[in-house]
Amino acid sequence: MTPDLRILALALGGALGTICRYLVSVASTKLFGAVVPAGTFLVNLSGCFLLGLMFGLGEARGVSPGFRLFFMTGFLGAYTTFSTFAVESVLAHEGGRAGLATANILANNLGGLALAKAGLMLGRLI
């Protein structure tokens, strides 16, 4: 794969990941309201699962360098958002919602670890 194609794979994956993240955020705001950061939670957890799944599949069957750049680095890199999760947690704490901030931190981290493990296990089984 040429350097130009690598950049193109990253850019396309990143653009699609960003669009998907935005759509999940809009849908979750409609469903849960803007008070709970459900969109960030959903993209982070589903991203953990998908990355674990891809690593598990990669161990068993291999993943091409092009797909790795496109999906794992580009798409999932843009789809998930640790920085938004961090800011939402800090803002919740500053806004007097320490319980929500703590729940958000625990749910994102523990849920992300659990789903990454589940994805890895599933990828190794497939």
Short mmCIF file of all heavy atoms in Angstrom, two decimals, residues 48-92:
data_model
loop_
_atom_site.label_atom_id
_atom_site.label_comp_id
_atom_site.label_asym_id
_atom_site.label_seq_id
_atom_site.Cartn_x
_atom_site.Cartn_y
_atom_site.Cartn_z
N CYS A 48 -15.21 -0.03 21.84
CA CYS A 48 -14.37 -1.00 22.56
C CYS A 48 -14.67 -2.42 22.10
O CYS A 48 -13.76 -3.23 21.87
CB CYS A 48 -14.60 -0.89 24.07
SG CYS A 48 -13.89 0.59 24.81
N PHE A 49 -15.97 -2.72 21.95
CA PHE A 49 -16.35 -4.06 21.49
C PHE A 49 -15.83 -4.31 20.08
O PHE A 49 -15.23 -5.36 19.81
CB PHE A 49 -17.87 -4.23 21.54
CG PHE A 49 -18.32 -5.55 20.99
CD1 PHE A 49 -18.19 -6.70 21.75
CD2 PHE A 49 -18.85 -5.64 19.72
CE1 PHE A 49 -18.57 -7.93 21.23
CE2 PHE A 49 -19.24 -6.86 19.20
CZ PHE A 49 -19.11 -8.00 19.96
N LEU A 50 -16.05 -3.35 19.19
CA LEU A 50 -15.63 -3.55 17.79
C LEU A 50 -14.11 -3.67 17.66
O LEU A 50 -13.62 -4.48 16.88
CB LEU A 50 -16.15 -2.41 16.92
CG LEU A 50 -17.65 -2.41 16.70
CD1 LEU A 50 -18.09 -1.12 16.00
CD2 LEU A 50 -18.08 -3.62 15.89
N LEU A 51 -13.37 -2.88 18.43
CA LEU A 51 -11.91 -2.98 18.36
C LEU A 51 -11.43 -4.32 18.93
O LEU A 51 -10.54 -4.96 18.35
CB LEU A 51 -11.25 -1.81 19.10
CG LEU A 51 -9.75 -1.69 18.89
CD1 LEU A 51 -9.39 -1.52 17.41
CD2 LEU A 51 -9.18 -0.53 19.70
N GLY A 52 -12.05 -4.75 20.03
CA GLY A 52 -11.71 -6.06 20.57
C GLY A 52 -12.03 -7.16 19.58
O GLY A 52 -11.24 -8.08 19.37
N LEU A 53 -13.19 -7.05 18.94
CA LEU A 53 -13.59 -8.04 17.94
C LEU A 53 -12.59 -8.09 16.78
O LEU A 53 -12.18 -9.16 16.34
CB LEU A 53 -14.99 -7.70 17.41
CG LEU A 53 -15.55 -8.62 16.34
CD1 LEU A 53 -15.77 -10.03 16.88
CD2 LEU A 53 -16.87 -8.05 15.81
N MET A 54 -12.18 -6.93 16.30
CA MET A 54 -11.23 -6.88 15.19
C MET A 54 -9.87 -7.46 15.58
O MET A 54 -9.23 -8.14 14.79
CB MET A 54 -11.07 -5.45 14.69
CG MET A 54 -12.29 -4.87 13.99
SD MET A 54 -12.72 -5.79 12.49
CE MET A 54 -14.18 -6.67 13.03
N PHE A 55 -9.43 -7.18 16.81
CA PHE A 55 -8.17 -7.76 17.26
C PHE A 55 -8.29 -9.28 17.37
O PHE A 55 -7.37 -10.02 17.00
CB PHE A 55 -7.72 -7.16 18.59
CG PHE A 55 -6.80 -5.99 18.43
CD1 PHE A 55 -7.30 -4.69 18.46
CD2 PHE A 55 -5.45 -6.18 18.24
CE1 PHE A 55 -6.46 -3.61 18.30
CE2 PHE A 55 -4.59 -5.10 18.08
CZ PHE A 55 -5.11 -3.81 18.11
N GLY A 56 -9.42 -9.75 17.90
CA GLY A 56 -9.64 -11.19 18.01
C GLY A 56 -9.68 -11.85 16.65
O GLY A 56 -9.07 -12.91 16.44
N LEU A 57 -10.39 -11.25 15.72
CA LEU A 57 -10.43 -11.78 14.36
C LEU A 57 -9.05 -11.72 13.71
O LEU A 57 -8.66 -12.63 12.98
CB LEU A 57 -11.44 -11.01 13.51
CG LEU A 57 -12.91 -11.29 13.78
CD1 LEU A 57 -13.80 -10.30 13.01
CD2 LEU A 57 -13.26 -12.72 13.39
N GLY A 58 -8.34 -10.66 14.00
CA GLY A 58 -7.00 -10.50 13.42
C GLY A 58 -6.05 -11.57 13.90
O GLY A 58 -5.21 -12.04 13.12
N GLU A 59 -6.17 -11.98 15.15
CA GLU A 59 -5.32 -13.05 15.67
C GLU A 59 -5.59 -14.36 14.96
O GLU A 59 -4.68 -15.12 14.66
CB GLU A 59 -5.57 -13.23 17.18
CG GLU A 59 -4.98 -12.15 18.04
CD GLU A 59 -5.30 -12.36 19.51
OE1 GLU A 59 -5.99 -13.35 19.86
OE2 GLU A 59 -4.87 -11.53 20.30
N ALA A 60 -6.88 -14.62 14.71
CA ALA A 60 -7.27 -15.88 14.12
C ALA A 60 -7.09 -15.91 12.61
O ALA A 60 -6.69 -16.91 12.03
CB ALA A 60 -8.72 -16.19 14.48
N ARG A 61 -7.40 -14.82 11.97
CA ARG A 61 -7.43 -14.82 10.50
C ARG A 61 -6.55 -13.78 9.85
O ARG A 61 -6.42 -13.74 8.64
CB ARG A 61 -8.87 -14.61 10.03
CG ARG A 61 -9.78 -15.69 10.52
CD ARG A 61 -11.18 -15.43 10.14
NE ARG A 61 -12.00 -16.46 10.78
CZ ARG A 61 -13.13 -16.88 10.30
NH1 ARG A 61 -13.59 -16.38 9.20
NH2 ARG A 61 -13.81 -17.81 10.91
N GLY A 62 -6.02 -12.88 10.65
CA GLY A 62 -5.21 -11.81 10.09
C GLY A 62 -6.08 -10.65 9.61
O GLY A 62 -7.23 -10.84 9.25
N VAL A 63 -5.53 -9.48 9.68
CA VAL A 63 -6.20 -8.27 9.21
C VAL A 63 -5.24 -7.56 8.28
O VAL A 63 -4.08 -7.36 8.63
CB VAL A 63 -6.59 -7.35 10.39
CG1 VAL A 63 -7.15 -6.03 9.90
CG2 VAL A 63 -7.58 -8.04 11.31
N SER A 64 -5.71 -7.21 7.12
CA SER A 64 -4.82 -6.55 6.16
C SER A 64 -4.43 -5.17 6.69
O SER A 64 -5.20 -4.53 7.41
CB SER A 64 -5.52 -6.41 4.81
OG SER A 64 -6.50 -5.39 4.87
N PRO A 65 -3.24 -4.72 6.34
CA PRO A 65 -2.81 -3.39 6.78
C PRO A 65 -3.77 -2.28 6.32
O PRO A 65 -4.01 -1.32 7.06
CB PRO A 65 -1.43 -3.21 6.14
CG PRO A 65 -0.95 -4.59 5.89
CD PRO A 65 -2.18 -5.42 5.62
N GLY A 66 -4.35 -2.43 5.14
CA GLY A 66 -5.29 -1.43 4.64
C GLY A 66 -6.56 -1.38 5.48
O GLY A 66 -7.06 -0.31 5.80
N PHE A 67 -7.10 -2.55 5.83
CA PHE A 67 -8.31 -2.59 6.65
C PHE A 67 -8.01 -2.06 8.04
O PHE A 67 -8.82 -1.35 8.64
CB PHE A 67 -8.86 -4.01 6.73
CG PHE A 67 -10.13 -4.08 7.53
CD1 PHE A 67 -11.33 -3.65 6.99
CD2 PHE A 67 -10.13 -4.54 8.84
CE1 PHE A 67 -12.50 -3.68 7.74
CE2 PHE A 67 -11.28 -4.59 9.59
CZ PHE A 67 -12.47 -4.16 9.04
N ARG A 68 -6.85 -2.42 8.56
CA ARG A 68 -6.46 -1.93 9.89
C ARG A 68 -6.44 -0.41 9.90
O ARG A 68 -6.98 0.22 10.80
CB ARG A 68 -5.09 -2.47 10.28
CG ARG A 68 -4.63 -2.01 11.65
CD ARG A 68 -3.26 -2.60 11.98
NE ARG A 68 -3.34 -4.03 12.22
CZ ARG A 68 -3.53 -4.58 13.41
NH1 ARG A 68 -3.66 -3.82 14.47
NH2 ARG A 68 -3.59 -5.88 13.55
N LEU A 69 -5.83 0.20 8.89
CA LEU A 69 -5.78 1.66 8.83
C LEU A 69 -7.17 2.26 8.67
O LEU A 69 -7.53 3.22 9.34
CB LEU A 69 -4.89 2.12 7.66
CG LEU A 69 -3.40 2.05 7.90
CD1 LEU A 69 -2.65 2.38 6.61
CD2 LEU A 69 -2.98 2.98 9.02
N PHE A 70 -7.96 1.68 7.74
CA PHE A 70 -9.29 2.21 7.46
C PHE A 70 -10.21 2.09 8.67
O PHE A 70 -10.79 3.08 9.12
CB PHE A 70 -9.91 1.49 6.26
CG PHE A 70 -11.37 1.80 6.07
CD1 PHE A 70 -11.78 3.02 5.53
CD2 PHE A 70 -12.33 0.89 6.45
CE1 PHE A 70 -13.13 3.31 5.39
CE2 PHE A 70 -13.68 1.17 6.30
CZ PHE A 70 -14.08 2.38 5.77
N PHE A 71 -10.37 0.87 9.17
CA PHE A 71 -11.40 0.63 10.19
C PHE A 71 -10.90 0.83 11.62
O PHE A 71 -11.50 1.58 12.40
CB PHE A 71 -11.99 -0.78 10.05
CG PHE A 71 -13.19 -0.99 10.92
CD1 PHE A 71 -14.41 -0.42 10.59
CD2 PHE A 71 -13.11 -1.74 12.08
CE1 PHE A 71 -15.53 -0.59 11.40
CE2 PHE A 71 -14.21 -1.93 12.89
CZ PHE A 71 -15.43 -1.35 12.55
N MET A 72 -9.80 0.18 11.95
CA MET A 72 -9.36 0.19 13.35
C MET A 72 -8.77 1.55 13.74
O MET A 72 -9.08 2.07 14.80
CB MET A 72 -8.37 -0.95 13.58
CG MET A 72 -9.01 -2.32 13.35
SD MET A 72 -7.86 -3.68 13.27
CE MET A 72 -7.56 -4.00 14.99
N THR A 73 -7.95 2.11 12.89
CA THR A 73 -7.34 3.40 13.23
C THR A 73 -8.23 4.56 12.80
O THR A 73 -8.51 5.45 13.61
CB THR A 73 -5.96 3.52 12.56
OG1 THR A 73 -5.15 2.41 12.94
CG2 THR A 73 -5.26 4.80 12.99
N GLY A 74 -8.68 4.57 11.55
CA GLY A 74 -9.47 5.70 11.05
C GLY A 74 -10.88 5.73 11.60
O GLY A 74 -11.27 6.68 12.29
N PHE A 75 -11.66 4.68 11.29
CA PHE A 75 -13.08 4.67 11.69
C PHE A 75 -13.23 4.68 13.21
O PHE A 75 -13.89 5.57 13.77
CB PHE A 75 -13.80 3.45 11.11
CG PHE A 75 -15.25 3.41 11.48
CD1 PHE A 75 -16.19 4.08 10.71
CD2 PHE A 75 -15.68 2.72 12.61
CE1 PHE A 75 -17.54 4.07 11.06
CE2 PHE A 75 -17.02 2.69 12.96
CZ PHE A 75 -17.95 3.37 12.18
N LEU A 76 -12.65 3.69 13.88
CA LEU A 76 -12.84 3.61 15.34
C LEU A 76 -12.13 4.74 16.08
O LEU A 76 -12.59 5.18 17.13
CB LEU A 76 -12.38 2.24 15.86
CG LEU A 76 -13.27 1.07 15.42
CD1 LEU A 76 -12.69 -0.25 15.89
CD2 LEU A 76 -14.70 1.24 15.93
N GLY A 77 -11.05 5.24 15.52
CA GLY A 77 -10.37 6.38 16.13
C GLY A 77 -11.24 7.62 16.13
O GLY A 77 -11.25 8.40 17.10
N ALA A 78 -11.99 7.82 15.07
CA ALA A 78 -12.89 8.98 14.99
C ALA A 78 -14.24 8.70 15.65
O ALA A 78 -14.89 9.62 16.14
CB ALA A 78 -13.10 9.37 13.53
N TYR A 79 -14.64 7.45 15.65
CA TYR A 79 -15.95 7.08 16.20
C TYR A 79 -15.97 7.19 17.72
O TYR A 79 -16.94 7.71 18.30
CB TYR A 79 -16.27 5.64 15.77
CG TYR A 79 -17.55 5.08 16.29
CD1 TYR A 79 -18.78 5.58 15.86
CD2 TYR A 79 -17.55 4.02 17.19
CE1 TYR A 79 -19.97 5.04 16.34
CE2 TYR A 79 -18.73 3.48 17.66
CZ TYR A 79 -19.93 3.99 17.24
OH TYR A 79 -21.09 3.46 17.72
N THR A 80 -14.94 6.72 18.38
CA THR A 80 -14.90 6.79 19.84
C THR A 80 -14.32 8.12 20.27
O THR A 80 -13.64 8.79 19.51
CB THR A 80 -14.05 5.64 20.43
OG1 THR A 80 -12.73 5.75 19.91
CG2 THR A 80 -14.64 4.29 20.09
N THR A 81 -14.58 8.49 21.52
CA THR A 81 -14.15 9.82 21.94
C THR A 81 -13.86 9.86 23.43
O THR A 81 -14.74 10.08 24.25
CB THR A 81 -15.18 10.89 21.56
OG1 THR A 81 -14.76 12.12 22.10
CG2 THR A 81 -16.59 10.55 22.01
N PHE A 82 -12.62 9.65 23.76
CA PHE A 82 -12.21 9.72 25.16
C PHE A 82 -12.24 11.16 25.67
O PHE A 82 -12.60 11.42 26.82
CB PHE A 82 -10.82 9.11 25.34
CG PHE A 82 -10.40 9.04 26.77
CD1 PHE A 82 -10.88 8.03 27.60
CD2 PHE A 82 -9.57 9.99 27.32
CE1 PHE A 82 -10.52 7.97 28.92
CE2 PHE A 82 -9.21 9.93 28.65
CZ PHE A 82 -9.68 8.92 29.45
N SER A 83 -11.86 12.10 24.82
CA SER A 83 -11.80 13.50 25.26
C SER A 83 -13.19 14.03 25.59
O SER A 83 -13.37 14.74 26.60
CB SER A 83 -11.12 14.38 24.21
OG SER A 83 -11.82 14.30 22.98
N THR A 84 -14.19 13.71 24.80
CA THR A 84 -15.55 14.15 25.10
C THR A 84 -16.04 13.52 26.40
O THR A 84 -16.65 14.19 27.24
CB THR A 84 -16.50 13.81 23.94
OG1 THR A 84 -16.01 14.44 22.77
CG2 THR A 84 -17.92 14.28 24.21
N PHE A 85 -15.77 12.25 26.57
CA PHE A 85 -16.13 11.55 27.81
C PHE A 85 -15.49 12.26 29.00
O PHE A 85 -16.15 12.48 30.03
CB PHE A 85 -15.69 10.09 27.71
CG PHE A 85 -15.31 9.46 29.01
CD1 PHE A 85 -16.28 9.16 29.96
CD2 PHE A 85 -13.98 9.18 29.30
CE1 PHE A 85 -15.91 8.58 31.17
CE2 PHE A 85 -13.62 8.60 30.49
CZ PHE A 85 -14.58 8.30 31.43
N ALA A 86 -14.23 12.61 28.90
CA ALA A 86 -13.54 13.28 30.02
C ALA A 86 -14.16 14.63 30.32
O ALA A 86 -14.43 14.96 31.49
CB ALA A 86 -12.05 13.43 29.69
N VAL A 87 -14.43 15.42 29.30
CA VAL A 87 -15.02 16.76 29.52
C VAL A 87 -16.42 16.64 30.09
O VAL A 87 -16.78 17.38 31.02
CB VAL A 87 -15.01 17.57 28.21
CG1 VAL A 87 -15.86 18.83 28.34
CG2 VAL A 87 -13.58 17.93 27.82
N GLU A 88 -17.22 15.73 29.58
CA GLU A 88 -18.58 15.55 30.11
C GLU A 88 -18.55 15.14 31.58
O GLU A 88 -19.38 15.61 32.37
CB GLU A 88 -19.33 14.52 29.27
CG GLU A 88 -19.72 15.02 27.90
CD GLU A 88 -20.27 13.93 27.00
OE1 GLU A 88 -20.07 12.73 27.29
OE2 GLU A 88 -20.87 14.28 25.97
N SER A 89 -17.61 14.30 31.94
CA SER A 89 -17.50 13.87 33.33
C SER A 89 -17.09 15.04 34.22
O SER A 89 -17.66 15.22 35.32
CB SER A 89 -16.48 12.74 33.46
OG SER A 89 -16.90 11.61 32.72
N VAL A 90 -16.13 15.83 33.79
CA VAL A 90 -15.69 16.98 34.57
C VAL A 90 -16.82 18.00 34.69
O VAL A 90 -17.07 18.54 35.78
CB VAL A 90 -14.43 17.63 33.94
CG1 VAL A 90 -14.12 18.97 34.58
CG2 VAL A 90 -13.23 16.69 34.08
N LEU A 91 -17.53 18.27 33.62
CA LEU A 91 -18.62 19.24 33.65
C LEU A 91 -19.76 18.77 34.57
O LEU A 91 -20.36 19.58 35.28
CB LEU A 91 -19.15 19.51 32.24
CG LEU A 91 -18.21 20.30 31.33
CD1 LEU A 91 -18.80 20.40 29.93
CD2 LEU A 91 -17.92 21.67 31.90
N ALA A 92 -20.04 17.48 34.54
CA ALA A 92 -21.07 16.96 35.44
C ALA A 92 -20.64 17.17 36.89
O ALA A 92 -21.45 17.58 37.73
CB ALA A 92 -21.32 15.47 35.16
#
